[in-house]
Amino acid sequence: MLYATAWQTVGPFLHIGLDGLNNDTIALPGVAGGRLTIEGLLVDGDGAPVPDGLIELWQANSHGRYAHPEDTRELPLESNFTGFARMPTDAAGCFCFHTIKPGRVPGADGTLQAPHIVVSVFARGILRRMATRIYFPDEAANADDAVLARIPAERRSTLIAAPTARQGVLRFNIVLQGNHLGQGETVFFEI
């Protein structure tokens, strides 16, 4: 009989055997869609940077199709679009990705979701990856998104990237734990 392997803490050795998978670019030049950069900071409950975290992004292309064999919808799929990127945080807890704004994808009930990027966070002391989403500022579809609607209004802002003074650059910080009242913590989802 085979038994499941017990969960173990992820860090601090994320780089062993994984460095070859690191890539900060989801959409190469020539891929359709509005180009953007997402930069942010991974911090712990005290607001201290997490220098040995790993951030993964998964997203659909601008047409709303994932670069995954299970997405068989008849939507365009471009060869220069991977839909996935993974990068460790640097010594200051920073991360940066280059991509495009994704299109809308259907939710479990078939209704379209607002454009979003799925984020996985791995870090020392975390026994299972943590999952969250990046939504886009000033996106009209956010008002109708079933996932956002389930989040208390006062916490939704932790899922929406903030515009910066630089054209095409969004800021998305990830806070692993809030204060004693849970304030400030990024919303994470059960996976």
Side-chain angles (χ1 to χ4, degrees), residues 8-9 19 47 56 64 78 86 94 98 108 115 129 144 151 191:
Q8 296 182 10
T9 187
D19 282 348
E56 287 183 351
E78 299 158 289
R86 162 192 278 162
C94 297
H98 308 285
R129 73 181 170 105
D144 300 323
I151 307 299
I191 47 175

Side-chain angles (χ1 to χ4, degrees), residues 3 8 12 17 20 25-26 30 34-35 58 92 95 98 102 132 138 158 164 174 178 182 189:
Y3 296 96
Q8 296 182 10
T25 303
I26 296 173
R35 303 210 62 88
W58 293 86
F95 58 88
H98 308 285
T132 190
D138 302 322
T158 70
T164 68
I174 302 170
F189 302 98

Side-chain angles (χ1 to χ4, degrees), residues 55-102:
I55 309 295
E56 287 183 351
L57 301 186
W58 293 86
Q59 72 171 81
N61 66 14
S62 64
H63 307 288
R65 183 167 177 195
Y66 289 101
H68 191 279
E70 290 183 19
D71 189 345
T72 58
R73 294 173 297 139
E74 293 193 24
L75 296 169
L77 186 60
E78 299 158 289
S79 61
N80 284 343
F81 177 79
T82 64
F84 170 79
R86 162 192 278 162
M87 286 301 293
T89 56
D90 67 14
C94 297
F95 58 88
C96 181
F97 293 94
H98 308 285
T99 188
I100 55 159
K101 184 177 178 181

